[in-house]
Coordinates of all heavy atoms in Angstrom, one line a residue:
L1 N 0.7 -3.1 16.0 CA 1.8 -2.3 15.5 C 1.7 -0.8 15.9 O 2.7 -0.2 16.1 CB 2.1 -2.5 14.0 CG 2.6 -3.9 13.7 CD1 2.5 -4.1 12.1 CD2 4.0 -4.1 14.2
A2 N 0.5 -0.3 15.9 CA 0.3 1.1 16.4 C 0.8 1.2 17.8 O 1.4 2.3 18.1 CB -1.2 1.4 16.3
G3 N 0.7 0.2 18.6 CA 1.2 0.3 20.0 C 2.7 0.3 20.0 O 3.3 0.6 21.1
K4 N 3.3 -0.1 18.9 CA 4.8 0.0 18.9 C 5.3 1.1 18.0 O 6.4 1.1 17.5 CB 5.3 -1.4 18.4 CG 5.0 -2.5 19.3 CD 5.6 -3.8 18.8 CE 5.3 -5.0 19.8 NZ 5.9 -4.7 21.2
E5 N 4.3 2.0 17.6 CA 4.6 3.2 16.8 C 5.1 2.8 15.4 O 5.8 3.6 14.7 CB 5.7 4.1 17.5 CG 5.3 4.6 18.8 CD 6.3 5.6 19.4 OE1 7.3 5.1 20.0 OE2 6.1 6.8 19.1
I6 N 4.6 1.7 14.9 CA 4.9 1.2 13.5 C 3.5 1.3 12.8 O 2.5 0.9 13.3 CB 5.4 -0.2 13.5 CG1 6.7 -0.3 14.3 CG2 5.6 -0.6 12.0 CD1 7.8 0.5 13.8
L7 N 3.6 1.9 11.6 CA 2.4 2.1 10.8 C 2.2 0.8 9.9 O 3.1 0.3 9.3 CB 2.5 3.3 9.9 CG 2.9 4.6 10.6 CD1 2.9 5.7 9.6 CD2 1.9 4.9 11.7
F8 N 0.9 0.3 9.9 CA 0.6 -0.9 9.2 C -0.4 -0.7 8.1 O -1.4 0.0 8.3 CB 0.1 -2.0 10.1 CG 0.0 -3.4 9.5 CD1 1.1 -4.1 9.1 CD2 -1.3 -3.9 9.2 CE1 1.0 -5.4 8.5 CE2 -1.4 -5.2 8.7 CZ -0.3 -5.9 8.3
I9 N -0.2 -1.2 6.9 CA -1.1 -1.2 5.8 C -1.4 -2.6 5.4 O -0.5 -3.4 5.1 CB -0.6 -0.4 4.6 CG1 -0.4 1.1 4.9 CG2 -1.5 -0.6 3.4 CD1 0.2 1.9 3.8
G10 N -2.7 -2.9 5.3 CA -3.2 -4.2 4.7 C -3.7 -3.9 3.4 O -4.8 -3.2 3.3
S11 N -3.1 -4.3 2.3 CA -3.5 -3.9 1.0 C -3.9 -5.1 0.1 O -3.1 -6.0 -0.1 CB -2.3 -3.1 0.3 OG -2.7 -2.7 -1.0
G12 N -5.1 -5.0 -0.4 CA -5.5 -6.0 -1.4 C -4.9 -5.7 -2.7 O -4.8 -4.5 -3.1
I13 N -4.4 -6.7 -3.4 CA -3.8 -6.5 -4.7 C -4.4 -7.5 -5.7 O -4.3 -8.7 -5.4 CB -2.3 -6.6 -4.7 CG1 -1.7 -5.5 -3.7 CG2 -1.7 -6.5 -6.1 CD1 -0.2 -5.7 -3.6
S14 N -5.0 -7.1 -6.8 CA -5.6 -8.0 -7.7 C -5.1 -7.8 -9.1 O -4.8 -6.7 -9.5 CB -7.1 -7.8 -7.7 OG -7.7 -8.7 -8.5
G15 N -5.1 -8.9 -9.8 CA -4.7 -8.8 -11.2 C -3.8 -10.0 -11.6 O -3.3 -10.1 -12.8
G16 N -3.4 -10.8 -10.6 CA -2.5 -11.9 -10.9 C -1.1 -11.4 -11.3 O -0.8 -10.3 -11.1
E17 N -0.3 -12.3 -11.9 CA 1.0 -12.0 -12.2 C 1.1 -10.9 -13.3 O 2.0 -10.0 -13.2 CB 1.8 -13.2 -12.6 CG 1.2 -14.0 -13.8 CD 2.0 -15.3 -14.0 OE1 3.1 -15.2 -14.6 OE2 1.5 -16.4 -13.7
E18 N 0.2 -10.9 -14.2 CA 0.2 -9.9 -15.3 C -0.1 -8.6 -14.7 O 0.5 -7.6 -15.1 CB -0.8 -10.3 -16.4 CG -0.8 -9.3 -17.5 CD -1.9 -9.7 -18.6 OE1 -2.3 -10.8 -18.6 OE2 -2.2 -8.8 -19.4
G19 N -1.1 -8.5 -13.8 CA -1.4 -7.2 -13.2 C -0.3 -6.7 -12.4 O 0.0 -5.5 -12.4
A20 N 0.3 -7.6 -11.6 CA 1.4 -7.1 -10.8 C 2.6 -6.5 -11.6 O 3.2 -5.6 -11.2 CB 2.0 -8.3 -9.9
R21 N 2.8 -7.1 -12.8 CA 3.9 -6.7 -13.6 C 3.6 -5.3 -14.3 O 4.4 -4.5 -14.4 CB 4.2 -7.7 -14.6 CG 5.4 -7.4 -15.5 CD 6.7 -7.3 -14.8 NE 7.8 -6.9 -15.6 CZ 8.2 -5.7 -15.8 NH1 7.5 -4.7 -15.2 NH2 9.2 -5.3 -16.5
H22 N 2.3 -5.2 -14.8 CA 2.0 -4.0 -15.6 C 1.0 -3.1 -15.0 O 0.7 -2.0 -15.7 CB 1.5 -4.6 -17.0 CG 2.5 -5.4 -17.7 ND1 3.7 -4.9 -18.2 CD2 2.5 -6.8 -17.9 CE1 4.4 -6.0 -18.8 NE2 3.7 -7.1 -18.6
G23 N 0.4 -3.4 -13.9 CA -0.5 -2.5 -13.3 C -1.7 -3.2 -12.6 O -2.7 -3.5 -13.3
P24 N -1.6 -3.5 -11.3 CA -2.7 -4.1 -10.7 C -3.7 -3.2 -10.1 O -3.5 -1.9 -10.1 CB -2.0 -4.8 -9.5 CG -0.9 -3.9 -9.2 CD -0.5 -3.3 -10.5
S25 N -4.9 -3.7 -9.7 CA -5.8 -2.9 -8.8 C -5.3 -3.0 -7.4 O -5.0 -4.1 -6.9 CB -7.2 -3.5 -9.0 OG -8.1 -3.0 -8.0
I26 N -5.2 -1.9 -6.7 CA -4.6 -1.9 -5.4 C -5.6 -1.3 -4.4 O -6.2 -0.2 -4.7 CB -3.3 -1.1 -5.3 CG1 -2.3 -1.6 -6.4 CG2 -2.7 -1.2 -3.9 CD1 -1.0 -0.9 -6.4
M27 N -5.9 -2.0 -3.3 CA -6.9 -1.6 -2.3 C -6.3 -1.5 -0.9 O -6.4 -2.3 -0.1 CB -8.0 -2.6 -2.3 CG -8.8 -2.8 -3.7 SD -9.4 -4.5 -3.9 CE -8.2 -5.2 -5.0
P28 N -5.6 -0.4 -0.7 CA -4.9 -0.2 0.6 C -5.8 0.3 1.8 O -6.7 1.1 1.5 CB -3.8 0.8 0.3 CG -4.4 1.7 -0.7 CD -5.3 0.8 -1.6
G29 N -5.6 -0.3 2.9 CA -6.3 0.2 4.1 C -5.4 0.0 5.3 O -4.3 -0.7 5.2
G30 N -5.8 0.5 6.5 CA -5.0 0.3 7.7 C -4.8 1.6 8.4 O -5.7 2.4 8.6
N31 N -3.5 1.9 8.8 CA -3.2 3.1 9.5 C -3.1 4.3 8.5 O -2.2 4.3 7.7 CB -1.9 2.9 10.3 CG -1.6 4.1 11.2 OD1 -1.9 5.2 11.0 ND2 -1.2 3.7 12.4
S32 N -4.0 5.2 8.5 CA -4.1 6.2 7.5 C -2.9 7.2 7.5 O -2.6 7.8 6.5 CB -5.4 7.1 7.7 OG -5.4 7.7 9.0
H33 N -2.1 7.2 8.6 CA -1.0 8.1 8.6 C 0.1 7.6 7.6 O 1.0 8.3 7.3 CB -0.4 8.2 10.0 CG -1.3 8.8 11.0 ND1 -1.7 10.1 10.9 CD2 -2.0 8.3 12.1 CE1 -2.6 10.4 11.9 NE2 -2.7 9.3 12.6
A34 N 0.0 6.4 7.2 CA 1.0 5.8 6.3 C 0.7 6.1 4.8 O 1.6 6.0 4.0 CB 1.1 4.3 6.4
W35 N -0.5 6.5 4.5 CA -0.9 6.7 3.1 C -0.1 7.7 2.3 O 0.4 7.4 1.2 CB -2.4 7.0 3.0 CG -2.9 7.2 1.6 CD1 -3.7 8.3 1.2 CD2 -2.8 6.4 0.5 NE1 -4.0 8.1 -0.1 CE2 -3.5 7.0 -0.6 CE3 -2.1 5.1 0.3 CZ2 -3.5 6.4 -1.9 CZ3 -2.2 4.6 -1.0 CH2 -2.8 5.2 -2.1
D36 N 0.1 8.8 2.9 CA 0.9 9.9 2.2 C 2.3 9.4 1.9 O 2.9 9.8 0.9 CB 1.0 11.1 3.1 CG -0.3 11.9 3.0 OD1 -1.1 11.7 2.1 OD2 -0.5 12.7 3.9
Q37 N 2.9 8.5 2.7 CA 4.2 8.0 2.5 C 4.3 7.0 1.4 O 5.4 6.8 0.8 CB 4.7 7.3 3.8 CG 4.7 8.2 5.0 CD 5.7 9.4 4.9 OE1 6.7 9.3 4.3 NE2 5.4 10.5 5.6
V38 N 3.3 6.2 1.1 CA 3.3 5.2 0.1 C 2.5 5.5 -1.2 O 2.6 4.8 -2.2 CB 2.8 3.8 0.6 CG1 3.7 3.4 1.8 CG2 1.4 3.9 1.0
K39 N 1.7 6.6 -1.1 CA 0.8 7.0 -2.2 C 1.5 7.1 -3.5 O 1.0 6.7 -4.6 CB 0.1 8.3 -1.8 CG -1.0 8.7 -2.8 CD -1.7 9.9 -2.4 CE -2.8 10.3 -3.3 NZ -3.5 11.5 -2.8
K40 N 2.7 7.8 -3.5 CA 3.4 8.0 -4.8 C 3.8 6.7 -5.5 O 3.6 6.5 -6.7 CB 4.6 8.8 -4.6 CG 5.4 9.2 -5.8 CD 6.6 10.0 -5.5 CE 7.5 10.3 -6.8 NZ 8.7 11.1 -6.5
I41 N 4.3 5.7 -4.7 CA 4.7 4.4 -5.2 C 3.5 3.7 -5.7 O 3.5 3.2 -6.9 CB 5.4 3.6 -4.2 CG1 6.7 4.3 -3.7 CG2 5.7 2.2 -4.7 CD1 7.5 3.6 -2.6
F42 N 2.4 3.5 -4.9 CA 1.3 2.8 -5.3 C 0.6 3.4 -6.5 O 0.1 2.7 -7.4 CB 0.3 2.7 -4.1 CG 0.6 1.7 -3.1 CD1 1.8 1.1 -3.0 CD2 -0.4 1.3 -2.2 CE1 2.1 0.1 -2.1 CE2 -0.1 0.3 -1.2 CZ 1.1 -0.3 -1.2
S43 N 0.5 4.7 -6.6 CA -0.2 5.4 -7.7 C 0.6 5.2 -9.0 O 0.0 5.3 -10.1 CB -0.3 6.9 -7.4 OG -1.2 7.1 -6.2

């Protein structure tokens, strides 16, 4: 995707359905240029 100028994040998400609803552990990695764009939402 970098070759197509698209930023890609592969993010581990743990906590099951309860965690997803109320606050999971999130482990993002990938194209670092994307982090500032999604940091507010993930945080």
Side-chain angles (χ1 to χ4, degrees):
L1 288 169
K4 297 184 178 295
E5 299 186 275
I6 303 299
L7 308 182
F8 187 71
I9 293 176
S11 183
I13 299 177
S14 180
E17 57 185 286
E18 181 182 343
R21 183 67 184 87
H22 301 291
S25 168
I26 307 178
M27 298 152 260
N31 193 316
S32 60
H33 297 296
W35 177 230
D36 285 340
Q37 303 293 333
V38 302
K39 184 176 181 179
K40 182 180 179 181
I41 297 175
F42 279 16
S43 298

